[in-house]
Amino acid sequence: MNPDIIFYLPTPPALPEHWQATHVDAVTQLVALNGNHWRKIVTIMAKTCCLEHDINANKGACWKLIRDNLFSASAERHQPKTDKNINSDIKTPRLRCQLRIVKADVNYSDDLKLSSVCWHIICGNEALLRMGITDRRQYSSLDDQQKIQRQHPVLLTPYLDYRQYSNALIELTRQHIAATKH
């Protein structure tokens, strides 16, 4: 399936041998090997992909379900019903996402052409520079502080860390993308 969102990050996580993104424990394995930093990254990705009207309803059950199955085709697949996840049998409205690493040793074209069938979220200045995006004049700001800039289908955002990318900015990003997907 084609993604609705592609997140571009500058640094790859360590991955266990034979790791597969669509495996039921893929996110759990990724976080176990890489720690809290990557738990935060996948949490921000999950919140952005959530199409629920209120992502904090039921203590965030929707985005937590998405996070645990972030790279699967659907968030509800492979989700056993447990006491911790009482809503596991509920269909979770979400956007499909992919993660791409922007390598330092790759020459990205200055005339970067990204598919308009999905959103491309370029996370942080390092990823932005590696992709050759140096002129932001053609981008308009999504927020008052100009932390998120847009030019469909691209969003230039802070790195996926709560110190840079607050819940308010995540919500603004999520609402902007969700409005274009309905």
Side-chain angles (χ1 to χ4, degrees):
M1 279 190 155
N2 292 328
D4 298 301
I5 302 173
I6 301 174
F7 292 89
Y8 296 82
L9 290 166
T11 309
L15 297 174
E17 191 174 337
H18 307 296
W19 185 83
Q20 293 181 20
T22 56
H23 189 268
V24 64
D25 291 333
V27 172
T28 303
Q29 291 174 3
L30 187 140
V31 170
L33 189 59
N34 293 277
N36 197 41
H37 175 68
W38 273 90
R39 182 189 59 79
K40 291 176 184 177
I41 289 172
V42 296
T43 296
I44 291 171
M45 290 171 71
K47 287 180 177 182
T48 304
C49 291
C50 185
L51 288 176
E52 278 292 327
H53 176 69
D54 179 4
I55 64 169
N56 293 312
N58 297 318
K59 298 181 181 176
C62 176
W63 67 258
K64 289 176 184 176
L65 184 61
I66 293 168
R67 180 196 58 205
D68 294 343
N69 296 278
L70 188 62
F71 305 113
S72 298
S74 64
E76 63 276 353
R77 192 168 43 142
H78 304 301
Q79 194 68 352
K81 192 168 189 173
T82 65
D83 290 339
K84 288 171 72 177
N85 188 8
I86 197 158
N87 295 322
S88 64
D89 56 347
I90 297 173
K91 298 272 188 213
T92 306
R94 52 99 41 109
L95 299 170
R96 296 173 314 274
C97 76
Q98 284 182 358
L99 172 63
R100 294 196 182 155
I101 303 303
V102 183
K103 297 180 181 179
D105 57 352
V106 174
N107 185 14
Y108 295 93
S109 170
D110 287 341
D111 186 24
L112 189 63
K113 290 186 174 106
L114 300 171
S115 167
S116 63
V117 297
C118 70
W119 280 96
H120 302 271
I121 300 180
I122 304 173
C123 308
N125 286 330
E126 191 172 341
L128 186 79
L129 292 173
R130 286 182 184 181
M131 292 185 80
I133 300 172
T134 56
D135 185 3
R136 297 185 192 189
R137 287 180 289 183
Q138 69 269 26
Y139 293 86
S140 60
S141 185
L142 198 60
D143 63 306
D144 294 337
Q145 298 173 336
Q146 299 182 355
K147 291 192 174 196
I148 302 174
Q149 296 175 317
R150 68 175 176 223
Q151 180 187 31
H152 190 78
V154 177
L155 289 177
L156 310 178
T157 70
Y159 186 76
L160 301 186
D161 180 287
Y162 286 113
R163 292 170 288 187
Q164 298 174 51
Y165 207 160
S166 67
N167 277 326
L169 289 175
I170 295 166
E171 182 61 18
L172 185 63
T173 303
R174 186 187 75 76
Q175 288 177 1
H176 180 72
I177 291 172
T180 66
K181 291 295 181 182
H182 291 299

